[in-house]
Amino acid sequence: MIHVTTTINGDETEFVCDPRETLLDVLRDRLSLTGAKEGCGTGDCGACSVTVDGTVVCSCLVLGAEAEGKEIGTVEGIATGEDLHPIQQKFLDHAALQCGICTPGILVATKALLEKHPDPTETQVRYWLAGNLCRCTGYDKIIRAVMDAAKDMRSAA
Amino acid sequence: MQYQAPDSFDAAVTLLNAEQGMARVLAGGTDVLVQLRAGTVEPDLIVDIKRIPGVHDITAEDGGWRIGAAVSGVELNAHADLCADWPGVAEAHDLIGSTQVQGRATLTGNLCTASPAADSVPAMVAAGATARVQGSNGTRDVAVEAVGTGPFKVSLAQGEVITSIFLPARGANGGDAYLRFIPRTEMDIAVVGAAVSLTLDGDKVASARVSLGAVAPTVLLVEGAANAIIGTSLDDAAMDKLAATASAACNPISDKRGTVEFRTKIAGVLAKRAAKIAYDRAKG
Amino acid sequence: MAFDEAKKDFNLIGTRPARPDGIDKVTGRAQFGADKAAPGQLHAAILRSPHAHARIKSIDTSAAEKAKGVKGIVTRADFATGLKGEMWNKLENVMAGEKALYDGHAIAAVAATSALAAKDALKLIKVDFEVLDHVTNVDESMKDGAPVIREGAAGPSTPEGMHPNVVGFYSSGHGDVDAGFADADLVIEDTFTTEATHQGYIEPHACLAQMGKDGKGEVWCCTQGHFNVAKVCGHLLGTEASQIRVTASEIGGGFGGKTEVFIEPVALALAKKTNRPVKLVMSRSEVFRASGPTASASMDIKIGMKKDGTMTAGRGVFRLQGGAFPGAPGTFTAMCAFAPYALENVSQEAYDVMTNRPKQAAYRAPGSPMAAFAVESVVDELCNQLGLDPIEVRLKNASREGSKASFGINWPRIGLVECLEAAKAHPHYSTAIPENGGRGVSCGFWFNHGGETAVSLALAEDGTVSLSVGTPDIGGSRASMCMMAAEELGIKYDDIRTTIADTATLGYNEISHGSRVTYASGLATIEAARDTIKKLCKRAAAKWGIDEDAVYWEDGFAKPSGPNAGEFEPMSLAKIASKMGATGGPIVGHYEATPEGAGVSFAVHIVDAEVDKETGSTSVGRYTVIQDAGKAIHPSYVEGQFQGGAAQGIGWALNEEYIYGEDGRLQNAGFLDYRIPVASDLPMIDTVIVEVPNPGHPYGVRGVGETSICPPLAAIANAVSNAAGVRMKSLPMSPPRILKALDEA
Ligand SMILES: Cc1cc2nc3c(=O)[nH]c(=O)nc-3n(C[C@H](O)[C@H](O)[C@H](O)COP(=O)(O)OP(=O)(O)OC[C@H]3O[C@@H](n4cnc5c(N)ncnc54)[C@H](O)[C@@H]3O)c2cc1C
Ligand code: FES
Ligand code: FES
């Protein structure tokens, strides 16, 4: 077992884990942060997306042990108190989720996208999110929600 | 399984050599963790090199670029000068996986997995890249094409680790490009990959290297294909010859990703398309 | 309950409020199948067959039992004996008996203190297999000499003299097809194939189970039908359905694939054996290898047409493999094939064939998309060769109210003609086809379903409402339920809270399948609301001291029905509710029945595709879905169903397939090589909601969830064939297949 000290959504957090456990396993099973989902466990679906020091990654492809000293961001940290982040609100407004299992990963990835590219093209959004599989929506409403959120965030900035 | 994150390559080499069972180096982990999950690899020791000082750096050296072993796709593609020199290599690496995978995947890891379909490897081979290898007997530089020896097999000795990749000076009037064929637009493993790097003398190709991926047990450096375009300005005859030699060099398998016939044909098509892009880039 | 012609001015129906579970789902709070934990829980893992067909000579679990952290192991011996028919088949699929029937078939399961310990222990279980010959292809499996999967599995409909792997047969039709073909100016006959695909829901099957020695159990799981889970678990564990309380978690996609039961009985058996809660979650590769993909199909189609576009006859023969058990949806395939056309002469037959593959499960309109692919490809080819417009030809032959369906019924009010007219008028259809591109059009049809349904609607003292339904919400249905209840009661959308009740709380509800939720639970909700209104009016009447019949309900108020009834201030729902304790006690409306009036639904898709003739690569350009929804309760979720079905169809048409090796093992049991469409593969998907009311629903609702996957296979095949200049007859139209067809042309 390995002892790890890390920061998750701004909170200092400690845990112990088996060296084989992934960051996703740790978040879900040891820290009860079940917002990140496991759709595949092999990097293919993006449902487990989190940020590590600001970079969006698949938490199923990161060992728990690697979190030592890092800053982890998950879907649970996107809203501020009871105020939804604009992208969360736009996902509701545009009905951009059906089952919602892909939503946490897509929100984490989208937030990172808009921080880096506040004015993305549709093509840019589609390629950025290509690693986030959604089987329900055909992506149409997701892309619209992201574009609309980007627009609102630009005018608010 | 044990996990270690040493703070120097010396320490990493010592750890690797001391391990009696199976050891694995961990860079971005986008191959290693998939193998762990599938149970295809069950190491006794994981040596994470990402905490070694300098592994995330890209530094200018002899007109070229030295790329630390843990530089991720995101870090590589954020380096404007390197991307301007070697757009083919940068784009090839950028094709690997998703945004999320890019946050972790390294050139070194792509090279050491030794998949015949690795995307960055043909581009590095065409570019004439070398890998710096450290082991208990010191340090050596090897040509990238000499690292993979067969599907998922490398020439590195027990305890050896790659510390950096070196991309040589681009020089004047040069250009490179990498193209791959996948059935979707993203998130697929190459069915065929083709990289071309060339320099021009006026309108004529002065020198060229052509490399193919996913068409043989290892990434291929195809001299005949390069010869087909050297001295030409990529006229139709030269392009046809390029395609024919590229296809002739293929020794692929039929599998879930493509058939022998398909791979052989597409290798020629992509070699032509990549050569055209490299040529236009060299023209500036 | 019949369509209420009078009900036209809706307050809420047709608007787009935010879904009630929305905030939970964008903040990560919503609990899906794998998100729940119980104190002291164990983690389970399943050992699966590496062989496509093998006799299990022995299983030795002794070493695994002693491994660190292991608390219990189950094999087939731990399940009920003496089951017959359907339940025996289900048990055989959940845990192999004498033989492993496909790569991935469950052999044993371990519960241990951690997921890693359970996985490690699997390696210590020794199984002695006698490997047998296998068959995975439908046409091969019907041939003499093919390995027999199980003797005696054939149903009564199966013709004499067929291979034992052929287990079911269906035929229907009318008229004289040969005379019809003789009448035609052009007859085209061809063979088409489709590969098996997977629903590809992003959430793997997951459950948490507890069970005591007394046979009383609890299950939390992601399923489309928790009442069915209780029933199946009851049978397989030798107890009663009522003793197992099942709660449906939020569900991360199903599309039919979560109508089946795979892991819940295993988790319960382990929980019983260890006396601890047991969590069992499938890995993605297990989902591909051992849940329920679609059938694959091999189909012969023959259609005759006159020069003016009149179709004179159609014949179809459909062979479907559904894995190692009976149940491939050939009957539906045959019934749907010619459903869009009013044919005087038509005949269709279907064979249900077993192979060494996992048991097929429903996937959105099971059986229909492949039929549409085959038939609509031939129709397209006839139009091409006769120089006719594909929409005009479809209009000319379209099924309409009163015409005789290919499978015998007389159509009630249906909306195919309206869909075709809308397609013809859509700007997409009149824009130029891109260079190097082709355009494809196709119709599609699905029945839709009613099924056993119960709901309950309880008033709170503050005038808000708690609505309990028994159909898991697989795509935003709670929003629609809230809307329908609020519409009827005349209160605010936000004042209703809809909950998916567990199996101990509500009467039996059939699975969320057959596009039945908005139709059947919706109808039940409306009825329960009307039942509640009656009770509300009764309280008002009592208060006013007038006759019950002299009170009516309007916009949330009980009102005296006219001057004769007396002068009283209208009484709001909230007012009546606030006094209900003193005026007769709780007010609860309910409804339980099996509504029979589900309305069939037709769709028309238009798509433009481009083909790179050097590489065989296809890109989908513009895509338009036109479908009859009857009445769209929440248009955003209707559009979402249209778009999602189209996207899945695009995947099925172009790249998705189950690839089996010579060894009978699945080669691509992961998303990387199974290749569902990613965001950058698709264009925006335009939608047109046609509303031809279903006579069997008070608001006219038809199911919308399934029809949307019927046309895309054919529409894309037609677009690709027209772009490439060569008819594509096998799906998926992956680049190597397209390049090969081009080379051979
Ligand atoms: C979803 C997904 C999509 C992918 N798509 C692609 C794709 O399109 N194209 C493609 O080419 N690949 C793809 N890959 C594979 C993988 O991402 C790449 O091969 C990547 O470059 C590996 O880099 P890494 O740093 O993550 O390697 P790691 O996983 O850390 O290591 C890979 C191998 O290299 C060894 N190694 C790592 N560093 C060193 C070192 N310094 N010295 C010696 N040995 C070392 C490791 O022991 C291991 O065997 C994909 C993977 C995933 C999960
Ligand atoms: S669970 Fe990590 S990418 Fe699918
Ligand atoms: S909404 Fe279900 S997978 Fe995206």
Side-chain angles (χ1 to χ4, degrees):
Chain A
M1 288 286 173
I2 301 182
H3 177 254
V4 177
T5 307
T6 184
T7 305
I8 299 179
N9 299 328
D11 300 329
E12 195 180 301
T13 308
E14 283 180 77
F15 59 84
V16 286
C17 69
D18 185 288
R20 286 188 290 168
E21 278 174 48
T22 65
L23 177 57
L24 178 62
D25 295 334
V26 168
L27 289 171
R28 293 179 52 81
D29 297 339
R30 297 200 179 266
L31 304 174
S32 298
L33 288 167
T34 53
K37 307 297 177 194
E38 179 173 308
C40 67
T42 49
D44 305 321
C45 76
C48 65
S49 297
V50 302
T51 54
V52 176
D53 289 346
T55 302
V56 47
V57 300
C58 296
S59 60
C60 69
L61 294 184
V62 178
L63 291 174
E66 292 183 67
E68 176 66 41
K70 302 280 181 194
E71 301 229 356
I72 314 291
T74 73
V75 69
E76 286 93 343
I78 293 184
T80 312
E82 63 167 14
D83 296 331
L84 296 182
H85 187 282
I87 57 177
Q88 291 173 311
Q89 188 57 49
K90 289 295 177 193
F91 266 59
L92 297 180
D93 297 346
H94 286 263
L97 50 138
Q98 275 174 37
C99 77
I101 194 88
C102 66
T103 311
I106 293 184
L107 290 172
V108 168
T110 300
K111 181 163 175 272
L113 166 71
L114 298 185
E115 280 162 9
K116 198 165 166 182
H117 305 286
D119 192 6
T121 62
E122 182 192 325
T123 305
Q124 244 177 330
V125 176
R126 288 188 179 275
Y127 275 85
W128 183 275
L129 293 178
N132 289 91
L133 300 180
C134 174
R135 190 60 158 171
C136 298
T137 62
Y139 305 105
D140 184 301
K141 293 184 190 298
I142 291 175
I143 306 298
R144 289 180 202 276
V146 173
M147 299 297 283
D148 195 19
K151 197 171 120 218
D152 275 18
M153 287 167 68
R154 280 195 308 276
S155 56
Chain B
M1 187 183 95
Q2 260 209 63
Y3 169 87
Q4 295 287 349
D7 56 11
S8 72
F9 277 110
D10 289 345
V13 170
T14 308
L15 280 165
L16 291 167
N17 278 315
E19 177 57 47
Q20 301 292 309
M22 183 201 261
R24 267 282 186 284
V25 175
L26 178 73
T30 59
D31 281 315
V32 169
L33 269 89
V34 173
Q35 292 159 356
L36 288 180
R37 168 78 185 214
T40 49
V41 173
E42 298 184 323
D44 301 287
L45 171 68
I46 289 274
V47 177
D48 183 353
I49 58 166
K50 289 192 294 299
R51 299 198 184 247
I52 298 173
V55 289
H56 291 281
D57 296 346
I58 299 174
T59 43
E61 183 179 313
D62 295 339
W65 299 102
R66 184 157 296 282
I67 303 163
V71 168
S72 69
V74 168
E75 290 163 339
L76 188 81
N77 272 282
H79 198 288
D81 292 340
L82 186 154
C83 293
D85 278 359
W86 293 104
V89 175
E91 285 168 8
H93 194 49
D94 192 42
L95 287 175
I96 294 174
S98 55
T99 307
Q100 289 83 343
V101 170
Q102 282 294 309
R104 303 263 296 169
T106 65
L107 287 172
T108 311
N110 199 224
L111 178 61
C112 294
T113 290
S115 157
D119 281 311
S120 74
V121 179
M124 288 196 283
V125 168
T130 55
R132 181 156 292 169
V133 180
Q134 183 174 337
S136 34
N137 299 328
T139 298
R140 60 190 176 103
D141 287 340
V142 275
V144 158
E145 56 269 32
V147 174
T149 56
F152 312 103
K153 289 202 185 71
V154 286
S155 59
L156 301 180
Q158 156 91 43
E160 279 190 327
V161 30
I162 293 180
T163 59
S164 64
I165 300 281
F166 180 67
L167 286 175
R170 172 66 276 184
N173 307 321
D176 74 331
Y178 171 78
L179 293 175
R180 66 171 182 182
F181 184 83
I182 54 171
R184 293 182 291 181
T185 53
E186 272 281 9
M187 297 303 286
D188 271 331
I189 301 301
V191 184
V192 178
V196 176
S197 174
L198 50 75
T199 59
L200 296 183
D201 183 1
D203 283 344
K204 296 249 152 62
V205 176
S207 69
R209 283 167 70 92
V210 177
S211 175
L212 299 175
V215 293
T218 61
V219 168
L220 300 177
L221 176 63
V222 189
E223 238 175 274
N227 291 337
I229 53 172
I230 291 173
T232 78
S233 48
L234 302 190
D235 53 280
D236 289 351
M239 287 297 243
D240 287 347
K241 199 161 166 217
L242 167 64
T245 39
S247 291
C250 296
N251 174 26
I253 53 166
S254 286
D255 66 4
K256 60 190 171 191
R257 296 184 183 136
T259 57
V260 167
E261 303 76 51
F262 184 77
R263 288 190 154 111
T264 307
K265 175 153 187 217
I266 300 301
V269 173
L270 292 191
K272 283 198 294 189
R273 292 182 181 179
K276 176 80 173 66
I277 299 170
Y279 185 91
D280 290 345
R281 282 178 174 161
K283 277 251 153 200
Chain C
M1 183 166 48
F3 177 59
D4 190 346
E5 292 280 356
K7 186 109 188 139
K8 292 228 168 55
D9 301 323
F10 291 111
N11 290 318
L12 271 166
I13 303 304
T15 64
R16 302 172 184 245
R19 60 197 284 162
D21 53 329
I23 289 180
D24 284 353
K25 285 194 171 154
V26 297
T27 55
R29 224 159 45 206
Q31 286 201 304
F32 290 83
D35 294 343
K36 206 167 186 93
Q41 76 182 13
L42 300 174
H43 295 261
I46 296 181
L47 180 71
R48 297 184 178 278
S49 170
H51 305 296
H53 197 192
R55 194 169 305 287
I56 301 168
K57 290 164 69 181
S58 66
I59 305 174
D60 177 2
T61 59
S62 54
E65 270 155 30
K66 292 185 205 105
K68 204 173 102 194
V70 171
K71 298 289 174 190
I73 298 179
V74 295
T75 62
R76 178 63 172 268
D78 295 280
F79 293 87
T81 51
L83 297 177
K84 297 233 158 40
E86 187 53 16
M87 286 300 158
W88 183 86
N89 277 324
K90 287 198 191 300
L91 175 56
E92 184 77 359
N93 194 26
V94 161
M95 192 59 72
E98 287 167 17
K99 291 205 292 185
L101 298 169
Y102 55 90
D103 168 38
H105 201 168
I107 307 286
V110 177
T113 47
S114 74
L116 287 169
K119 216 172 135 183
D120 288 344
L122 293 184
K123 289 177 228 151
L124 301 173
I125 299 177
K126 293 188 203 71
V127 186
D128 188 4
F129 287 110
E130 176 195 341
V131 178
L132 305 170
D133 287 345
H134 65 271
V135 58
T136 54
N137 174 280
V138 60
D139 291 318
E140 296 299 321
S141 187
M142 294 174 79
K143 285 187 185 150
D144 285 349
V148 175
I149 293 159
R150 179 152 51 91
E151 287 286 1
S157 63
T158 317
E160 292 284 309
M162 305 220 59
H163 190 286
N165 292 343
V166 181
V167 291
F169 178 75
Y170 163 87
S171 73
S172 66
H174 54 255
D176 180 343
V177 279
D178 290 325
F181 291 132
D183 241 14
D185 292 314
L186 179 63
V187 176
I188 293 183
E189 182 171 14
D190 226 321
T191 297
F192 297 83
T193 62
T194 64
E195 291 300 333
T197 55
H198 194 276
Q199 301 83 358
Y201 34 83
I202 307 301
E203 179 199 32
H205 299 264
C207 68
L208 175 65
Q210 328 203 23
M211 188 174 220
K213 214 179 156 62
D214 57 2
K216 292 197 194 331
E218 303 262 347
V219 180
W220 158 273
C221 62
C222 53
T223 175
Q224 288 175 246
H226 46 314
F227 289 88
N228 181 57
V229 171
K231 184 163 93 182
V232 173
C233 288
H235 282 281
L236 270 50
L237 288 148
T239 175
E240 306 301 330
S242 62
Q243 299 305 302
I244 298 170
R245 184 171 72 110
V246 184
T247 307
S249 69
E250 293 297 331
I251 174 171
F255 316 109
K258 287 180 185 159
T259 59
E260 289 284 347
V261 176
F262 302 106
I263 55 172
E264 293 82 358
V266 179
L268 277 170
L270 283 165
K272 189 173 174 193
K273 201 156 190 172
T274 58
N275 202 21
R276 300 263 292 263
V278 170
K279 183 164 179 170
L280 180 44
V281 182
M282 273 196 186
S283 69
R284 177 55 49 184
S285 75
E286 287 181 287
V287 172
F288 276 112
R289 287 167 71 207
S291 66
T294 58
S296 60
S298 158
M299 305 168 282
D300 308 326
I301 303 295
K302 185 173 180 181
I303 301 176
M305 196 179 276
K306 284 190 189 284
K307 281 189 185 131
D308 70 354
T310 308
M311 288 162 68
T312 57
R315 175 153 64 209
V317 179
F318 305 91
R319 298 167 292 273
L320 279 83
Q321 70 73 28
F325 298 87
T331 303
F332 292 152
T333 308
M335 292 170 80
C336 294
F338 294 102
Y341 302 113
L343 292 171
E344 275 179 30
N345 309 296
V346 63
S347 108
Q348 52 253 327
E349 54 192 56
Y351 297 87
D352 175 0
V353 184
M354 299 204 302
T355 61
N356 292 112
R357 294 186 183 217
K359 179 182 176 353
Q360 69 84 37
Y363 178 15
R364 262 193 154 131
S368 181
M370 36 282 233
F373 162 58
V375 169
E376 296 286 293
S377 291
V378 174
V379 172
D380 194 63
E381 194 57 40
L382 286 160
C383 293
N384 284 353
Q385 292 191 23
L386 293 171
L388 299 169
D389 177 86
I391 292 190
E392 292 298 349
V393 165
R394 285 173 171 85
L395 269 171
K396 193 178 188 85
N397 297 284
S399 293
R400 53 191 83 213
E401 185 169 358
S403 73
K404 189 173 164 98
S406 51
F407 53 91
I409 65 161
N410 284 322
W411 289 115
R413 196 161 168 200
I414 54 174
L416 175 59
V417 169
E418 287 80 351
C419 288
L420 284 163
E421 293 287 2
K424 198 167 85 174
H426 196 280
H428 184 171
Y429 198 61
S430 45
T431 52
I433 300 172
E435 225 181 309
N436 299 321
R439 177 164 295 157
V441 170
S442 173
C443 300
F445 161 78
W446 184 244
F447 306 94
N448 299 325
H449 181 62
E452 287 162 85
T453 311
V455 318
S456 149
L457 191 157
L459 257 52
E461 271 188 347
D462 58 6
T464 63
V465 164
S466 167
L467 174 67
S468 302
V469 302
T471 40
D473 178 351
I474 53 179
S477 64
R478 270 167 295 190
S480 301
M481 298 307 143
C482 289
M483 290 169 81
M484 285 186 264
E487 183 76 44
E488 285 295 321
L489 295 171
I491 61 175
K492 292 206 303 283
Y493 168 79
D494 288 332
D495 284 346
I496 315 254
R497 182 177 175 130
T498 303
T499 307
I500 312 302
D502 64 50
T503 57
T505 309
L506 215 53
Y508 189 84
N509 273 270
E510 217 176 285
I511 301 169
S512 293
H513 66 165
S515 302
R516 77 179 210 88
V517 174
T518 310
Y519 166 69
S521 279
L523 182 150
T525 295
I526 294 167
E527 279 291 320
R530 290 181 182 175
D531 184 38
T532 309
I533 287 170
K534 258 202 219 117
K535 292 171 180 167
L536 288 162
C537 289
K538 194 170 168 186
R539 299 283 167 104
K543 168 91 184 159
W544 293 332
I546 62 175
D547 198 55
E548 240 178 282
D549 295 341
V551 180
Y552 75 106
W553 191 261
E554 189 179 61
D555 294 334
F557 288 86
K559 297 178 181 172
S561 64
N564 293 343
E567 285 277 329
F568 301 103
E569 191 67 10
M571 218 187 289
S572 71
L573 182 143
K575 178 118 194 255
I576 301 172
S578 69
K579 297 272 180 325
M580 69 189 165
T583 61
I587 299 177
V588 181
H590 58 99
Y591 174 84
E592 38 280 320
T594 303
E596 302 282 356
V600 306
S601 160
F602 287 90
V604 177
H605 290 197
I606 311 171
V607 57
D608 296 347
E610 280 180 59
V611 174
D612 178 341
K613 290 190 183 174
E614 269 191 322
T615 63
S617 175
T618 298
S619 66
V620 177
R622 190 166 178 183
Y623 203 108
T624 306
V625 177
I626 299 131
Q627 185 175 321
D628 178 13
K631 177 75 199 168
I633 301 296
H634 191 307
S636 294
Y637 293 109
V638 172
E639 291 160 4
Q641 291 296 320
F642 289 7
Q643 291 163 335
Q648 286 184 318
I650 291 169
W652 196 340
L654 292 178
N655 287 309
E656 293 178 35
E657 63 178 313
Y658 264 49
I659 304 173
Y660 279 93
E662 292 285 308
D663 57 4
R665 289 184 190 159
L666 185 60
Q667 305 285 297
N668 58 336
F671 279 133
L672 197 58
D673 285 308
Y674 177 74
R675 297 174 173 149
I676 74 173
V678 301
S680 49
D681 292 338
L682 299 179
M684 290 298 187
I685 298 170
D686 215 353
T687 55
V688 177
I689 302 175
V690 171
E691 294 186 323
V692 176
N694 165 24
H697 184 279
Y699 298 171
V701 167
R702 298 173 189 272
V704 296
E706 294 176 286
T707 307
S708 53
I709 206 173
C710 303
L713 280 56
I716 292 165
N718 291 341
V720 168
S721 299
N722 292 332
V726 38
R727 178 61 51 189
M728 296 303 300
K729 298 173 198 167
S730 293
L731 300 187
M733 295 174 286
S734 55
R737 282 217 177 101
I738 292 182
L739 212 54
K740 188 154 177 271
L742 282 165
D743 281 348
E744 287 167 1

